[in-house]
Amino acid sequence: MDIDLDQPAHVISDALASGNLTAAALMQATLDRIAARNPDLNAIVSLRDAETLMAEAATADATPRKGWLHGMPLAVKDLANVAGLPTTMGSPAFRDRIAPTSDIMVQRMQDAGAIVIGKTNTPEFGLGSHTFNPVFGATQNVYLPGRTAGGSSGGAAVALAAGMIAVADGSDMMGSLRNPAGWNGVYGMRPTWGRVPSEPLGDMMLHPLSTNGPMARHPRDIALLLDIMAGPDPRQPHGLDHDPLAPHLDADLTGRRIGWLGDWGGAYPMEDGVLDHCATQVARFTDLGCVVEGVPPPFAAGALWDSWITLRSYAVAASLGPLYDQPATRAALKDTAIWEIERGRALSASAVQRASLIRSDWFRAAARLFDDFDALVLPTAQCWPFPIDWTWPHSIAGHPMDTYHRWMEVVVPVSLIGLPSLAVPLPLSDGRPMGLQLIGRSRGDLGLLQLGQGWQALNAA
């Protein structure tokens, strides 16, 4: 059977539901695609035994459908737990760790019928927007061999773009659902913080920064997967109620106001060509009836960065501190992780409180901005994909980057205050991939997905 693995996930799901496609045939085609593409790309890791996967696909064909993911192969980011599979987090310290249970988000996808085939590659502990680690190595960009895939959901983005899976999960603290999506021509959504629950472990109150979310090749698939992932967990204090979004994607976008933030008034250095390409593409939203206009910087970029690196180091020190305290595991930590932990532990309570106040001020300022705009837009990255053997770009457009993550400062306005953001892919620029971050008001996830649906139609025409 000739199966088009590059078509949208909802089309594949419909074919399974109608009986025009079997889960067994889909699984075989998937394994064949992985065998053909993954050795070069290195996007999928910890791949399960083929005979076992084919048996599970046959079982899916013989049982009633559980949900729209029924019988569909899925690889889970190697920061999330899948019962019975390794969760290495890209670290030698966890190379042999097997998860006893699946995380909430993963279990929800399994309950909807997904067959987990393995994991997707990630940077060590998800730190840094470049997918490489000492356990599995580096993931290549799907368009540019020898260039980075971005990260930390780089394996997921590349697996999607190469047709090895049809939808994927990811997580985003500092652009990890947005940067790799933009660099590999797919969609990635950071939902409003609290919409997709994390695990009810450790501190659940102070300074949340990251969230899980969906990735796909089509906005409708993003919405369908988000509808599975989302919904509160009664064991956690900040969850949002969630009504299905996928039925409401198609909308008249006439008159929606889009604010183009560009390089934040020059605060964010951009590699040559990035800003011009993004500005040209943003203007195309007028073809959908939207109103596009430039927006001056709505908040001091320096204050946002100071708040961000304080709260990020504080959070990383809390999560990775136990590994630092044990000599055996400390020796396995990469330098940037040690830097974050030591920096976070050196912070005073007043410094953390000051960072939280800046964060609160920015949330209030952003809320006022959305009185005038339906969405704001920034590039998904400040540079084109860089050589895969770099650890990180040490300068952009002649401006030194003073930390391992400063080159991704453009994602901070969203991450700092938990706004929803949909990364949409752009047409290639001289063969180079880039994306746009569509940013919405808090809880405005649906409006962004509607814009994404319009963008998909515009580029498919």
Side-chain angles (χ1 to χ4, degrees):
M1 181 183 294
D2 187 18
I3 301 171
D4 182 3
L5 294 177
D6 299 309
Q7 61 190 331
H10 64 272
V11 176
I12 296 174
S13 177
D14 289 345
L16 288 167
S18 67
N20 291 327
L21 175 65
T22 67
L26 176 61
M27 183 63 73
Q28 186 60 64
T30 297
L31 293 173
D32 291 345
R33 178 67 66 90
I34 291 171
R37 300 297 308 273
N38 201 54
D40 289 333
L41 296 173
N42 193 36
I44 292 182
V45 299
S46 301
L47 184 65
R48 296 174 63 206
D49 173 71
E51 289 188 9
T52 301
L53 290 172
M54 290 302 299
E56 290 183 9
T59 299
D61 284 327
T63 56
R65 284 175 64 80
K66 298 178 180 179
W68 85 274
L69 288 178
H70 189 88
M72 294 184 66
L74 178 76
V76 172
K77 186 175 179 179
D78 198 23
L79 299 182
N81 290 311
V82 180
L85 270 65
T87 307
T88 77
M89 299 190 177
S91 170
F94 294 150
R95 183 190 299 269
D96 300 319
R97 187 175 70 169
I98 303 298
T101 58
S102 294
D103 287 350
I104 298 166
M105 170 194 69
V106 175
Q107 189 62 59
R108 288 177 176 181
M109 294 188 291
Q110 291 175 302
D111 289 345
I115 301 174
V116 178
I117 62 173
K119 309 298 284 289
T120 55
N121 205 20
T122 184
E124 187 175 349
F125 298 113
L127 297 178
S129 202
H130 175 22
T131 298
F132 73 99
N133 63 68
V135 179
F136 298 113
T139 299
Q140 290 207 76
N141 188 281
V142 76
Y143 294 111
L144 301 172
R147 298 270 163 170
T148 180
S152 60
S153 305
V158 171
L160 280 170
M164 292 187 275
I165 50 177
V167 288
D169 71 290
S171 57
D172 188 309
M173 177 183 270
M174 194 175 175
S176 296
L177 280 158
R178 292 165 280 161
N179 161 252
W183 275 355
N184 292 282
V186 299
Y187 292 84
M189 184 165 191
R190 179 187 167 111
T192 297
W193 189 83
R195 189 170 295 281
V196 177
S198 56
E199 292 305 289
L201 302 171
D203 177 73
M204 299 187 296
M205 299 291 185
L206 287 177
H207 307 301
L209 297 175
S210 64
T211 181
N212 296 313
M215 302 183 81
R217 295 187 295 265
H218 194 288
R220 187 171 300 281
D221 299 337
I222 291 277
L224 286 165
L225 190 56
L226 182 58
D227 286 344
I228 290 173
M229 294 176 165
D233 171 23
R235 297 166 295 176
Q236 300 182 63
H238 300 302
L240 299 179
D241 290 333
H242 181 82
D243 294 321
L245 303 180
H248 309 291
L249 285 195
D250 297 309
D252 182 1
L253 303 177
T254 303
R256 295 212 186 175
R257 297 176 59 81
I258 295 177
W260 168 231
L261 289 163
D263 60 0
W264 207 272
Y268 301 150
M270 299 279 175
E271 189 175 356
D272 185 49
V274 170
L275 202 61
D276 288 344
H277 181 51
C278 290
T280 298
Q281 295 301 315
V282 170
R284 296 177 61 219
F285 275 99
T286 59
D287 295 340
L288 297 171
C290 299
V291 178
V292 179
E293 61 182 270
V295 181
F299 204 85
L304 295 179
W305 180 250
D306 288 346
S307 176
W308 174 255
I309 60 170
T310 296
L311 296 176
R312 177 183 167 98
S313 292
Y314 180 71
V316 171
S319 62
L320 298 185
L323 298 177
Y324 180 89
D325 291 334
Q326 300 296 322
T329 49
R330 183 191 300 187
L333 294 174
K334 63 180 181 179
D335 292 345
T336 47
I338 291 173
W339 176 81
E340 288 274 22
I341 295 166
E342 292 179 344
R343 188 178 186 279
R345 287 187 166 185
L347 292 167
S348 66
S350 60
V352 174
Q353 177 63 16
R354 175 180 173 275
S356 189
L357 288 172
I358 293 171
R359 184 188 204 184
S360 300
D361 287 341
W362 166 225
F363 188 93
R364 286 185 281 265
R368 292 192 296 270
L369 199 58
F370 285 112
D371 288 340
D372 298 319
F373 293 98
D374 297 289
L376 303 173
V377 183
L378 284 164
T380 54
Q382 293 167 234
C383 60
W384 306 104
F386 52 83
I388 202 167
D389 57 357
W390 291 11
T391 52
W392 45 280
H394 289 265
S395 68
I396 295 178
H399 295 263
M401 301 290 104
D402 57 358
T403 73
Y404 78 101
H405 44 24
R406 187 67 177 257
W407 63 278
M408 281 298 294
E409 190 174 1
V410 73
V411 303
V412 165
V414 168
S415 293
L416 189 60
I417 55 176
L419 297 180
S421 180
L422 177 67
V424 302
L426 302 183
L428 298 180
S429 174
D430 296 326
R432 299 171 300 183
M434 183 55 63
L436 296 174
Q437 300 176 71
L438 308 184
I439 305 163
R441 60 175 53 85
S442 182
R443 298 173 175 81
D445 307 59
L446 176 59
L448 294 182
L449 286 166
Q450 290 171 339
L451 287 170
Q453 183 79 344
W455 182 255
Q456 174 68 22
L458 181 65
N459 285 277

